[in-house]
Amino acid sequence: MEQKSNRLLILDVEQKKIGIRFKQIRKSMGYSSHESFAYDYNLDRAQYGKIEAGSSNMTLKVLIKHLNAIGYSLSEFFDQKYYEISDAQNE
């Protein structure tokens, strides 16, 4: 039986962590600019910039669209690297 975490999720914190995770992936793919990355993957550049900045309250539809564009599954995106992003990185 899996043990559940008692930690509450906070929207602002999770939005920023998602943005940091997208930025990590973009940089690991060799892109220094979020604009060129979004352009190459046919993503809306303004929307993608807001996602990386952690200021976008995106829908599941948008999240899946972005993950499909870069070839990531939900489990690959929300892997150990996601959970290692500390709250300190969000400030």
Side-chain angles (χ1 to χ4, degrees):
M1 178 184 269
E2 282 188 47
Q3 188 174 9
K4 291 180 10 178
S5 169
N6 290 329
R7 184 171 183 219
L8 293 176
L9 299 174
I10 301 167
L11 180 60
D12 292 350
V13 171
E14 297 306 315
Q15 282 178 189
K16 289 183 181 181
K17 286 173 65 175
I18 288 170
I20 291 168
R21 183 71 177 116
F22 269 110
K23 188 174 186 176
Q24 289 173 341
I25 292 167
R26 170 179 56 83
K27 288 187 172 190
S28 75
M29 296 171 80
Y31 287 87
S32 59
S33 162
H34 77 270
E35 290 96 349
S36 60
F37 177 80
Y39 181 81
D40 285 355
Y41 285 89
N42 200 30
L43 302 169
D44 181 279
R45 287 174 283 192
Q47 182 181 46
Y48 185 79
K50 289 177 184 176
I51 291 169
E52 274 200 12
S55 62
S56 174
N57 187 8
M58 74 177 114
T59 64
L60 182 58
K61 181 179 179 178
V62 170
L63 175 62
I64 289 173
K65 175 186 175 183
H66 284 72
L67 293 178
N68 282 336
I70 62 174
Y72 270 67
S73 68
L74 285 168
S75 60
E76 289 169 322
F77 185 81
F78 293 105
D79 65 1
Q80 189 62 35
K81 291 176 185 170
Y82 178 84
Y83 292 101
E84 290 172 353
I85 297 170
S86 69
D87 294 340
Q89 287 176 286
N90 294 320
E91 297 173 357

